[in-house]
Amino acid sequence: MKLTPAVKVSRRIAEIGRDAWDACADNSAYDGNPFIRFDFLNALEEANCAVERTGWGPQHLSVEDDEGQVAAVMPLYLKSHSQGEYIFDHAWADAYERAGGQYYPKLLSAAPFTPATGARLLCRPDVDQEEAWGYLLGGGLSLCERYGASGLNLNFLTQAEWAWTGGQGLGRREGQQYHWENRGYADFEAFLGALSSGRRKTIRRERREAQAAAEIVCLTGADLTEDHWDAFFRFYMDTGSRKWGRPYLTRAFFSMLGERMADRVLLVMARRNGRWIAGALNLIGGDCLYGRHWGCTEDVPFLHFELCYYQAIEWAIERGLPRVEAGAQGQHKIARGYLPRPVYSAHYIADPALRAAVMRFLDQERAAVEQEMEWLEEGFSPFREGE
């Protein structure tokens, strides 16, 4: 299928449309990822989460084939800050502005507020991938010049995209998260059997105490109601206000998520004395359960571990999912079976002086991250020696 070289810019994903967008997101290489679907990204815009006034101005790119059909797309935002990204470039911004530069606006390709790996250069499976990627990247770089943006950043992209964009001259950044991997466990007890005896005892005790303190319910699909979202939003706002000062998601977003993606949602809730007291939100992918948000209104020992980590592992094992990604940060996850794994981003910096400094930094940072991941897994893995 021949592509036309013109790249279109859309100020709302709705201008591209669900069918056209998801025809690109349905590529078998990544079609199980919920965060690149039209419904997820569109809900963020409709619910006024990822819009201009919050510093996330949509600038989505699309490429058409010679029949006028959308063949490739790229989620893209013009950012006036670096919040809600989880790939931290604040030090770059501070250094550049101290030197007299202007770091914002910048361009970002990402799933907003979502530290989960996923494709950023989406193309229909019947088009030439490298040609489509080239047009999308070229369009992003041209838009960067047009807006006088400091750079083009692609966060949490796939390893294949990371390698390709690095070959196009972008700086390659590597970070780490903590992921649980399913080694063919028959059930949760089989997973525990792979751990050291000390970790088995600790996890069993944590689960026993958490489950004794509250009734735990897993909800997905038609079981989700507005009452559940009302309760969960209270948890989300409480956690957001304490941890980072400004929760990003609106109440309307959660209703839209329930209306449009209920089968992709797993909400793990805890109830005591007939009242919801805690909850953890997960999104279901084709090969992964993605842990996203947690909150509570009562402090119950070990309930966070039970809802966010152990229930997720149990649910993934029951459904044969290969992996659970538990979100950003948290070395305490290692003791619960979540081991360090790399995540990737790519960065084009327009100013040659800043670009040179950032590229040097990235070379050093990659080596340090890889060493740290090896040290953490070797020194703190809960699995029995040889596992």
Side-chain angles (χ1 to χ4, degrees), residues 201 203-213 306:
K201 291 176 183 177
I203 290 174
R204 284 180 177 137
R205 175 175 59 86
E206 290 177 349
R207 298 205 76 185
R208 186 168 58 249
E209 293 191 23
Q211 292 177 8
E306 175 66 18

Side-chain angles (χ1 to χ4, degrees), residues 169-185:
L170 273 68
R172 295 182 306 138
R173 193 171 195 185
E174 188 172 345
Q176 65 169 311
Q177 288 183 345
Y178 300 94
H179 299 170
W180 177 86
E181 294 173 355
N182 190 346
R183 304 177 185 182
Y185 303 116

Side-chain angles (χ1 to χ4, degrees), residues 255-266:
S255 287
M256 292 177 189
L257 193 65
E259 291 167 4
R260 303 170 188 182
M261 300 182 67
D263 291 340
R264 296 286 193 120
V265 171
L266 172 65

Side-chain angles (χ1 to χ4, degrees), residues 212-226:
E215 175 192 4
I216 297 169
V217 181
C218 293
L219 302 160
T220 189
D223 292 334
L224 293 163
T225 70
E226 286 298 290

Side-chain angles (χ1 to χ4, degrees), residues 116-174:
T117 293
R120 304 296 175 240
L121 307 171
L122 314 178
C123 60
R124 292 196 332 242
D126 62 330
V127 304
D128 182 271
Q129 175 179 278
E130 188 157 349
E131 182 183 17
W133 285 8
Y135 285 145
L136 291 170
L137 180 59
L141 295 175
S142 295
L143 201 61
C144 185
E145 183 177 3
R146 182 195 305 176
Y147 287 141
S150 68
L152 170 66
N153 307 271
L154 299 90
N155 286 2
F156 295 101
L157 73 178
T158 66
Q159 187 173 17
E161 291 171 330
W162 187 64
W164 182 84
T165 51
Q168 306 303 306
L170 273 68
R172 295 182 306 138
R173 193 171 195 185
E174 188 172 345

